[in-house]
Amino acid sequence: MLLAFGVSVSLAGCGRGAPERATRIPVVTTTAVEPAVFGQGIEAIATLEAARSVQLASQATGRVLQLQIRQGQSVRPGQVLLVLDQTQLQAEVASLRAQMQTDRLNHERYERLVREGAASAIQRDQYRQAAMASRAALVAREADLAFRTVRAPQAGVIGEINLKAGDVLQAGVPFTRLVSNSDQLAEIELPANLAGRIRPGLSVVLQPPDGSGQEIRTRISAVEPSVTAATQLLMAQAPLPVAGDQWRNGMRLRARVVLGTRSQLAVPFASVTRLAGQSFVYVIGNRGQLLQRPGQVDRQQLDSLPASTRFALQVPVQLGEVQNNRYPVLAGLSPGQQVVTSGLLTLRHGTPVRLRQDRARDFR
């Protein structure tokens, strides 16, 4: 699998001194191949669901007199959304209020007459009961009147509205949805065979659909007690720790649930190149290691270099999925090897290189 190439640095004029050759050798940065902690997880699909999303309906039937909202409008708690026709109810409330006042005055008069001995306690109690009944009837009718004005139960954004002014709105029939996108839950669909391993507290990594590569980390807060029979999926919930207009109710995201961790050799994302579907890294080697796999290196040019020269050796590797800008190494590298992390486009197998700290040492 190894792709070998000729030395990319041409050495002009064999008579020129070593300092001039050194200045033409690429300077690279490296990092050691060391173990890192990677999560063992499963890829899944998550759907955002607003924790505060309600269907709006009226508690009374009536004709829409005023519609004071529009689709996409932000509203505050208690804001008036629509008003139903109240003409008949207002007349009934006015009549009941007059009746309550009459009954209250009669009760007060008989209270006074009983104290003076001009009326019986039974008569007083009858008027007191009448006053209480008329007051209760008024309160109930005033509540019915209040139901003719629909108010927002929470802050949020109005969805599609299914009526207009003049329509008759039936009690209990939703006419729109009020959604607050500031508090979202990720509903994660997981295979049922993982039911024994899914529990609250597991880490979840969410990736937004905008392709930015940003990772959002959260944890499972709840797991459904049953599996959906039709799909054999287990649903888990995780709160979305970020907010903004880009996060909308119903949006689907890629999710990764971390089931455990493992320690494995790792290389930085910046050290990996790919060619024809194969991953490669450049490791730092000496002349002997290069001669074991010389490829198309020009032996005459190689012999003209100092014995201490270091070379970039292209090595094919097998890698796992990237996590935190690092790849887990499945095969191809050993602990302690130095991999190149800069200037990869200028390198070929066998290119002589200098490490960045070497150059800094030369200027001291």
Side-chain angles (χ1 to χ4, degrees):
M1 297 293 295
L2 178 64
L3 299 181
F5 299 88
V7 177
S8 61
V9 179
S10 59
L11 303 177
C14 295
R16 297 183 182 178
E20 184 177 348
R21 286 201 305 268
T23 59
R24 304 186 64 180
I25 295 179
V27 179
V28 297
T29 56
T30 63
T31 188
V33 179
E34 296 177 339
V37 176
F38 291 91
Q40 294 177 312
I42 181 172
E43 302 295 329
I45 296 296
T47 304
L48 292 185
E49 180 176 325
R52 294 181 295 160
S53 174
V54 296
Q55 295 276 6
L56 295 181
S58 172
Q59 293 179 266
T61 298
R63 187 173 300 278
V64 179
L65 190 65
Q66 300 175 23
L67 184 62
Q68 300 185 6
I69 53 173
R70 65 183 184 279
Q71 182 177 349
Q73 178 181 347
S74 296
V75 297
R76 62 185 183 278
Q79 181 174 333
V80 175
L81 307 181
L82 63 82
V83 178
L84 300 179
D85 184 20
Q86 304 174 357
T87 305
Q88 181 177 349
L89 269 178
Q90 287 175 344
E92 294 178 10
V93 167
S95 176
L96 288 171
R97 183 174 289 112
Q99 183 62 48
M100 183 198 70
Q101 292 173 351
T102 299
D103 292 340
R104 179 174 58 82
L105 291 174
N106 287 336
H107 172 243
E108 292 173 352
R109 183 168 60 253
Y110 272 81
E111 281 280 5
R112 185 173 61 255
L113 291 175
V114 168
R115 289 196 298 269
E116 295 173 354
S120 66
I122 295 177
Q123 291 175 309
R124 178 201 60 193
D125 292 344
Q126 290 174 343
Y127 280 106
R128 181 173 60 186
Q129 291 176 353
M132 293 173 59
S134 60
R135 176 174 176 76
L138 175 62
V139 170
R141 215 57 181 148
E142 284 178 335
D144 291 339
L145 182 60
F147 291 154
R148 297 286 175 137
T149 300
V150 180
R151 299 178 181 273
Q154 64 179 37
V157 178
I158 298 295
E160 182 181 0
I161 302 173
N162 301 321
L163 56 76
K164 59 184 181 299
D167 289 346
V168 174
L169 180 60
Q170 298 295 324
V173 177
F175 62 89
T176 190
R177 176 180 285 273
L178 181 60
V179 179
S180 175
N181 286 318
S182 61
D183 189 9
Q184 301 264 13
L185 290 173
E187 293 279 351
I188 307 169
E189 304 172 358
L190 297 166
N193 60 0
L194 295 177
R197 303 182 63 184
I198 303 301
R199 63 185 185 279
L202 290 181
S203 284
V204 178
V205 179
L206 300 174
Q207 293 186 349
D210 58 7
S212 62
Q214 175 189 8
E215 292 186 347
I216 300 166
R217 297 185 175 274
T218 181
R219 292 185 179 274
I220 290 179
S221 59
V223 181
E224 287 290 329
S226 58
V227 172
T228 305
T231 60
Q232 286 299 291
L233 292 175
L234 177 69
M235 303 301 295
Q237 286 185 343
L240 187 69
V242 296
D245 292 339
Q246 70 271 32
W247 307 104
R248 300 295 181 95
N249 182 55
M251 184 178 289
R252 295 178 74 82
L253 313 175
R254 291 179 57 191
R256 188 172 189 272
V257 179
V258 181
L259 302 176
T261 59
R262 71 187 187 280
S263 179
Q264 195 163 352
L265 291 180
V267 292
F269 178 86
S271 67
V272 178
T273 58
R274 293 185 64 85
L275 182 62
Q278 172 65 51
S279 298
F280 295 89
V281 297
Y282 285 100
V283 301
I284 300 300
N286 54 33
R287 181 191 300 270
Q289 292 168 329
L290 175 59
L291 290 177
Q292 292 176 8
R293 296 181 288 113
Q296 299 179 3
V297 172
D298 189 319
R299 292 295 299 269
Q300 183 176 359
Q301 290 183 341
L302 181 60
D303 292 339
S304 68
L305 295 171
S308 60
T309 302
R310 280 171 282 196
F311 301 90
L313 308 180
Q314 191 180 48
V315 177
V317 290
Q318 296 180 22
L319 306 174
E321 293 186 4
V322 64
Q323 294 183 32
N324 298 326
N325 287 322
R326 294 177 301 184
Y327 283 104
V329 179
L330 306 181
L333 294 174
S334 301
Q337 286 186 288
Q338 296 289 323
V339 295
V340 180
T341 58
S342 67
L344 302 183
L345 296 179
T346 65
L347 302 181
R348 298 293 184 268
H349 179 71
T351 301
V353 295
R354 301 184 67 197
L355 306 188
R356 189 167 298 278
Q357 58 266 33
D358 292 346
R359 186 177 65 173
R361 187 160 50 245
D362 290 342
F363 286 103
R364 288 200 296 268

